[in-house]
Amino acid sequence: MIIVSACLCGINTRYDGKSNFNDKVSELLKQGKAVLVCPEQLGGLSTPRPAHEITGGTGAEVLEGCAKVVSANGDDGTCYFIKGAEETLEIAKQVDAKIAILKAKSPSCGCGNIYNGAFSKSLIEGNGVTAELLIRNGIKVYTEQEIDNILL
């Protein structure tokens, strides 16, 4: 089974109440190979919600207590992002997921690159909170931009 970001399958879970529909990811769901997750909703955040970015590091530093996830208006949402990552990991364990396909650049789901925390649309190297936790637990994480490179 594969864990996938719900927004990639057309579910309106993005911070702005929209989705990031991706045909190829949606096809995995139709084939019964995917389980949908939205770490931010699983963590207790509503949709829509203010945009959030990691400040002071990456998902790794958030999990280590050295960085925070804050909203564009300055509210600390770190606890929601950690809870959502933990809930997503629990779902992954329940379905024996070995792979996750998550939304690129997200403070939860981004893998390889995330926004830098200044809300300037600039990227830094690193993973979102959920992506980092899944990787630490042996799950291979990809973004929708890499789906063609995954042998499914």
Side-chain angles (χ1 to χ4, degrees):
M1 195 59 65
I2 301 167
I3 297 292
V4 299
S5 293
C7 64
L8 296 175
C9 287
I11 309 299
N12 295 329
T13 56
R14 275 177 38 133
Y15 74 94
D16 59 4
K18 298 178 182 176
S19 77
N20 292 300
F21 182 76
N22 180 290
D23 286 324
K24 292 177 182 177
V25 177
S26 182
E27 187 58 33
L28 293 172
L29 179 64
K30 290 178 188 172
Q31 293 172 4
K33 296 179 180 178
V35 172
L36 303 181
V37 295
C38 176
E40 294 172 20
Q41 285 186 342
L42 288 168
L45 292 170
S46 64
T47 300
R49 58 190 165 273
H52 286 74
E53 293 187 7
I54 298 173
T55 60
T58 67
E61 286 80 20
V62 171
L63 292 173
E64 293 159 10
C66 302
K68 294 184 178 192
V69 188
V70 299
S71 71
N73 56 15
D75 293 332
D76 185 348
T78 305
C79 63
Y80 300 111
F81 283 77
I82 292 173
K83 181 178 183 213
E86 291 169 345
E87 294 290 333
T88 299
L89 176 60
E90 184 58 31
I91 292 168
K93 287 178 178 179
Q94 291 293 323
V95 300
D96 197 28
K98 305 294 185 214
I99 295 174
I101 302 171
L102 304 178
K103 178 67 191 107
K105 305 174 191 171
S106 158
S108 291
C109 297
C111 184
N113 291 294
I114 57 172
Y115 290 111
N116 69 355
F119 297 92
S120 63
K121 299 189 180 187
S122 296
L123 297 173
I124 59 170
E125 286 186 29
N127 301 318
V129 180
T130 297
E132 182 67 27
L133 187 62
L134 293 177
I135 291 166
R136 289 181 179 190
N137 282 273
I139 297 171
K140 293 184 186 286
V141 177
Y142 303 92
T143 70
E144 76 280 10
Q145 298 166 340
E146 301 168 296
I147 194 166
D148 290 333
N149 300 332
I150 303 169
L151 299 175
L152 300 175

